[in-house]
Amino acid sequence: MATRLKRVVVIIAVALNLMALTASAADTLVLIDRSGSMASNFQSGLAKDLATRMLKAAETTGKADLAVFDVEWHVIPGLDSPEFATFGKDTYLDKTLKQFKDKYDRIWLLTDNVQDDPASADRYDMSSFYSTLQAKEIRTIYVFPLRQSPGNAGLMIYAISTGEDTRKLEQQVNTFQRPGQEFKFEKLAMKPLNENVIQVTIIDVEINDAKILHEQKSLRIREGDPLKIETRVRIEPKYPHLYFESSPVTPSRAGTPFKCLVADKPESDINPNQVQTGTSQEYRVTVDFGRVHLKKGPGCIWEAAFGHASESADIETPITVTIPRNNFKLSKTFLADYVASSESEAKVTGKIFGLEKLPGYMAPETTKVPIRIPYRVVVQYPSWPAIVLSIGGVVLLVLVWLVIKLLSGISFAPHFTAETEDRKPLPTLVRDKQVFVSNQLLGSIQSNEFTPAPGVRLDPDLRVADIGDSPLICVLRDGQRIRLRAESGQKPRQKAPTRSTPQKRSAPPTKRTTR
Amino acid sequence: MNGSIAASRARWTLATVFTVFLLINVVVLTLAFLAQLRNDPSKLPPHLGEEVSVGVRLLVIAIGAVFSWFLARMLFKHLVVQDVSPGDSVGPAYSLLSYLLLVLAAYSFLGFGTWLWLPGLFLIVLVWSLISLWSLVGWLPMIVALVLAALTAFFSWVIMT
């Protein structure tokens, strides 16, 4: 029993130790170059200061290991270890990095950027080191160049991340750059060098040869106007330390996406003309569709008349700029400030050796930069469809009304019947808008209104009366009262009073007679 | 009904309707002028949106014209009942109808193309109404209406700026 208990205790202790070891395993390594060319930096204390700062930054996200290297590498317990200031002669940057890149998620490297390569004709050839940095496993690299006073070669600090998640590296870099420390370092992005480091700026837009604000994003033209969009685009690196040379552009075509409008040219070529400026590349992208017209189909004419006042559509002008790896360069200003062309020049000037080739290794074979310039074009429909259809509609309504009237036997002139107060019908005739009753002029009709003739008055006493208000009571000079009734324009076919028939047949009274 | 009272009633009816219509038009015109001057469409008086088709705008005008015509007819009858001769009643009734149509036209077509037709038409309608109303209404109510219109234009301008 006691033996079994002892075994369990031992197993638990071993498991706990393993867990503790796993938990405390460092995922960041700080590598310090201690080759012979770095000796002066150790003697001045600069190497230790920088190593301390790098270690502090690395420990922001957890435990960090410290190692020194020349042609060999040694993980050391701390900066006070006697191994720290023991110098070698040559430096194998590439071999050291290859040794550790698979073991740590992040590596901080301090070096004077001198790679000893006995296999190469050029003794200080950096190609093999840069090729190692080019490896797929290394995803992110920031560099911090430190120019020194003449007599000491400049130093480089590389912050490298092998993992996809770069948040911890960013955290460490922020700690490293925290203000209030002795040296002010500028973070220079070096990998990945792809479309993420490229900035596309639309400088100006001309629509039909008139400049518009790009912020407007939409253009309003009238049907029949030309549609020509000319855009000036600038492509430049986001960071001032980078520069890229002129690169080819793939032309494309753009189509008109309108529903009820048609352009002279249904498709337009997009031919970007390249303009190289001092620090950036500019392209003039032209899309010309010719004039835009309304489609003549009935649906589109109806849409233009009663649907909407305008039609809008997005026009894209897609072009792709292809930047080959070797076109990525360091900017002229950065080269002048930091980069020495030889190891001896680096020592004399305090600049850094071999940096000029670095961007060419960090970029992919080709970087394609898609540029999309979407524009919302609003084309105002013409007014003629509305006017033509409205006039047509009115004409049609009038025709329908006329046909209905004709078919149903409705008279166009209002028809009147008159009777005495005893309801005796009186002969009535309407001629030239004048109403005659028993051959006597009773009044005239104008626009549906009855005006009594001289000597006749209306009861109630009105100058005019609406014939819709019938029966109208007309009082003659002799006091006789006549009820005048308008019959809604309907011709009485069978209702004609028998007594009035003979009078109706008589000749109509002339104005002179009635007067 | 006493003839002089009837004439007096007609006179005041005309003066009131004229003043109200004139003031509405003055406010609309002032706001339109201000919006044009500031190049700010948000200052325009209420109007149909940019996307409303020409056909619908014309339809609004047509419906408004029918409505205005009925109102003018009512006014015409009212004037005739008030012992104004039919010949004298036609001018005022239809010039006041034009004010209403002008407001509807502004509602339909402001913010859609040019606006210069509005002050042009307003001037024509103003001159027409002044000529047709002057003899019926008399100079004092007309001057009062014009002064009120000027004050309304001034205060509309001050408030909106």
Side-chain angles (χ1 to χ4, degrees), chain A residues 4 11 33 74-75 91 100 148 181 183 204 213 242 310 347 373 379 419 464 474 478 500 506:
Chain A
R4 191 177 287 174
I11 289 166
D33 179 354
H74 303 279
V75 177
T91 328
F100 290 111
Q148 296 216 70
Q181 302 180 82
F183 299 104
D204 61 40
L213 293 173
L242 292 173
S310 58
K347 261 189 187 165
I373 315 164
V379 184
E419 57 190 17
V464 287
C474 299
D478 58 5
S500 64
S506 66

Side-chain angles (χ1 to χ4, degrees), chain B:
Chain B
M1 190 183 286
N2 185 319
S4 63
I5 294 171
S8 173
R9 274 189 190 167
R11 185 178 166 221
W12 285 110
T13 306
L14 278 177
T16 310
V17 174
F18 169 68
T19 309
V20 169
F21 280 6
L22 182 66
L23 295 191
I24 293 170
N25 273 275
V26 159
V27 170
V28 168
L29 190 63
T30 309
L31 296 185
F33 185 68
L34 191 66
Q36 186 65 24
L37 199 72
R38 297 276 159 90
N39 199 15
D40 180 5
S42 68
K43 291 213 183 301
L44 279 174
H47 61 283
L48 288 176
E50 239 180 20
E51 279 312 301
V52 177
S53 63
V54 180
V56 173
R57 291 172 199 275
L58 289 174
L59 201 65
V60 170
I61 297 276
I63 293 168
V66 172
F67 178 69
S68 307
W69 189 80
F70 275 111
L71 285 183
R73 209 174 134 76
M74 279 168 62
L75 185 63
F76 170 78
K77 278 187 183 177
H78 178 76
L79 292 177
V80 169
V81 167
Q82 298 293 320
D83 263 356
V84 181
S85 73
D88 289 343
S89 303
V90 171
Y94 287 97
S95 66
L96 292 176
L97 163 150
S98 305
Y99 276 112
L100 195 56
L101 259 183
L102 205 53
V103 172
L104 283 165
Y107 176 72
S108 294
F109 283 100
L110 272 184
F112 182 80
T114 181
W115 72 291
L116 289 173
W117 54 269
L118 183 62
L121 285 181
F122 176 75
L123 273 180
I124 292 169
V125 172
L126 182 66
V127 170
W128 180 22
S129 57
L130 287 177
I131 291 169
S132 60
L133 287 172
W134 194 269
S135 56
L136 283 175
V137 174
W139 62 271
L140 187 62
M142 295 297 275
I143 286 171
V144 170
L146 290 174
V147 169
L148 276 176
L151 286 174
T152 306
F154 174 74
F155 284 113
S156 306
W157 182 274
V158 169
I159 290 167
M160 293 312 289
T161 49

Side-chain angles (χ1 to χ4, degrees), chain A residues 280-307:
Chain A
S280 63
Q281 292 175 72
E282 285 181 16
Y283 296 88
R284 185 171 283 278
V285 185
T286 309
V287 189
D288 185 3
F289 291 106
R291 290 185 184 277
V292 182
H293 302 286
L294 180 71
K295 281 184 190 167
K296 297 295 184 289
C300 287
I301 289 176
W302 179 264
E303 170 70 14
F306 295 103

Side-chain angles (χ1 to χ4, degrees), chain A residues 498-509:
Chain A
T498 35
R499 281 186 198 178
S500 64
T501 310
Q503 279 95 349
K504 270 192 173 177
R505 279 181 189 159
S506 66

Side-chain angles (χ1 to χ4, degrees), chain A residues 309-463:
Chain A
S310 58
E311 184 177 339
S312 60
D314 290 324
I315 294 176
E316 297 257 356
T317 53
I319 55 168
T320 307
V321 180
T322 309
I323 305 171
R325 170 183 288 166
N326 289 334
N327 280 17
F328 277 97
K329 309 266 181 193
L330 288 169
S331 69
K332 284 175 187 165
T333 324
F334 184 83
L335 286 171
D337 287 349
Y338 284 98
V339 181
S341 55
S342 66
E343 196 255 350
S344 54
E345 189 197 329
K347 261 189 187 165
V348 172
T349 57
K351 294 181 184 178
I352 302 157
F353 169 66
L355 266 185
E356 71 276 5
K357 288 181 184 167
L358 182 58
Y361 282 89
M362 297 299 101
E365 196 71 39
T366 54
T367 302
K368 287 188 186 297
V369 187
I371 303 173
R372 303 188 82 80
I373 315 164
Y375 280 101
R376 176 146 281 244
V377 177
V378 182
V379 184
Q380 196 173 319
Y381 287 138
S383 300
W384 66 260
I387 294 165
V388 167
L389 286 185
S390 300
I391 292 171
V394 170
V395 169
L396 194 69
L397 280 175
V398 170
L399 282 175
V400 168
W401 183 71
L402 287 174
V403 168
I404 290 172
K405 285 227 164 194
L406 282 172
L407 290 177
S408 59
I410 296 167
S411 167
F412 300 123
H415 182 76
F416 287 90
T417 56
E419 57 190 17
T420 61
E421 287 229 291
D422 309 334
R423 309 281 171 172
K424 286 179 183 168
L426 296 169
T428 314
L429 182 74
V430 179
R431 172 152 295 189
D432 298 335
K433 296 185 176 178
Q434 290 184 311
V435 183
F436 298 90
V437 174
S438 303
N439 288 343
Q440 183 180 348
L441 177 65
L442 209 63
S444 57
I445 314 153
Q446 188 72 44
S447 304
N448 250 20
E449 272 156 0
F450 177 82
T451 310
V456 180
R457 67 177 178 84
L458 289 167
D459 185 17
D461 194 10
L462 295 172
R463 286 196 177 189

Side-chain angles (χ1 to χ4, degrees), chain A residues 30-56 66-68 76 78-80 83-87 109-112 146 148 152-153 155-157 176 182-183 185:
Chain A
V30 177
L31 268 173
I32 310 295
D33 179 354
R34 60 168 192 180
S35 61
S37 56
M38 287 284 288
S40 60
N41 296 310
F42 279 87
Q43 282 152 9
S44 66
L46 176 63
K48 193 173 182 180
D49 288 349
L50 291 175
T52 308
R53 189 162 160 179
M54 289 159 70
L55 205 54
K56 198 176 165 189
L66 177 66
V68 287
I76 58 171
L79 293 167
D80 296 327
E83 288 271 9
F84 182 70
T86 308
F87 310 117
L109 169 63
L110 171 65
T111 176
D112 57 357
L146 178 65
Q148 296 216 70
N152 294 301
L155 297 177
M156 275 289 280
I157 295 166
F176 185 73
E182 194 180 352
F183 299 104
F185 284 105

